[in-house]
Amino acid sequence: MKEIVIWPVYIDRERSRREGRQVPEDLGVKNPKLEKIYRTLKKMGYSPEIVRDKCHPRRHWEPSGYIKVKVEEGTSKLQLL
C-alpha cells in the first residue's frame, strides 16, 4: 500500500491549476473542508487521517491542513480525487 496526501486546494473549483487545483474545474467543489473530505473517504472504505495546521506550499501563509490516506499500489492520486 502507498500513502497519498490530499490538500483541499486539489479539489477547490475556486482555485486555478497554478494555485494547486488538480481536478477539472467542473469536478471541483466550492470551498472544500477537511472534515467533509474525511467523511467522504470513510464512506468510500478508506482509512483517512487528518493532519491539521499545515500549509500547502503554494499558499504557505494559509493553514489548511491535509488528509493522508492509504491506497492500493497502482491507484493514482488523480484517480482517488
Side-chain angles (χ1 to χ4, degrees):
M1 298 201 83
K2 67 179 183 177
E3 196 168 75
I4 292 180
V5 171
I6 301 174
W7 294 89
V9 71
Y10 288 173
I11 59 172
D12 190 346
R13 87 170 72 173
E14 303 294 316
R15 306 284 183 190
S16 68
R17 293 275 186 165
R18 176 169 267 183
E19 291 174 310
R21 180 174 44 86
Q22 293 192 3
V23 298
E25 197 172 338
D26 61 327
L27 296 179
V29 177
K30 186 175 181 178
N31 197 19
K33 301 289 183 203
L34 281 178
E35 290 75 21
K36 179 73 173 177
I37 298 168
Y38 176 85
R39 286 193 308 269
T40 302
L41 288 167
K42 287 290 266 187
K43 286 181 184 177
M44 292 171 65
Y46 293 103
S47 298
E49 176 188 338
I50 294 178
V51 178
R52 299 183 189 277
D53 301 325
K54 298 293 181 183
C55 301
H56 186 268
R58 291 192 181 165
R59 301 191 65 78
H60 58 86
W61 60 90
E62 181 181 289
S64 64
Y66 60 84
I67 303 223
K68 292 192 303 189
V69 61
K70 292 185 182 194
V71 297
E72 296 290 326
E73 290 292 332
T75 302
S76 73
K77 185 184 293 187
L78 193 55
Q79 286 173 329
L80 182 61
L81 294 174

